[in-house]
Amino acid sequence: MTLTQATKSHETTYTINDAMDVLLAKLDEAIDDIENGRVQTIEEAWEEIDAI
């Protein structure tokens, strides 16, 4: 499973296509992880969310 890091950007506008490209790429990665047995427990997910 890959971890991502949020970084601030100086961009002030994004198109709906930009957002959809990122969303679909992340969804594709998540599906690959599930298919390969790489999953998080709910506790691990909350730890990652709390770290943000």
Side-chain angles (χ1 to χ4, degrees):
M1 187 175 332
T2 61
L3 297 178
T4 61
Q5 180 176 354
T7 56
K8 293 194 180 215
S9 172
H10 296 294
E11 289 289 323
T12 57
T13 60
Y14 300 94
T15 66
I16 201 75
N17 287 338
D18 293 335
M20 288 304 298
D21 287 345
V22 171
L23 177 63
L24 293 174
K26 293 299 178 184
L27 181 58
D28 189 42
E29 288 176 25
I31 291 170
D32 288 342
D33 285 343
I34 291 169
E35 289 175 342
N36 291 303
R38 295 184 304 260
V39 295
Q40 285 182 310
T41 65
I42 191 68
E43 290 82 12
E44 291 169 328
W46 278 113
E47 286 175 13
E48 189 174 326
I49 291 167
D50 288 340
I52 296 175

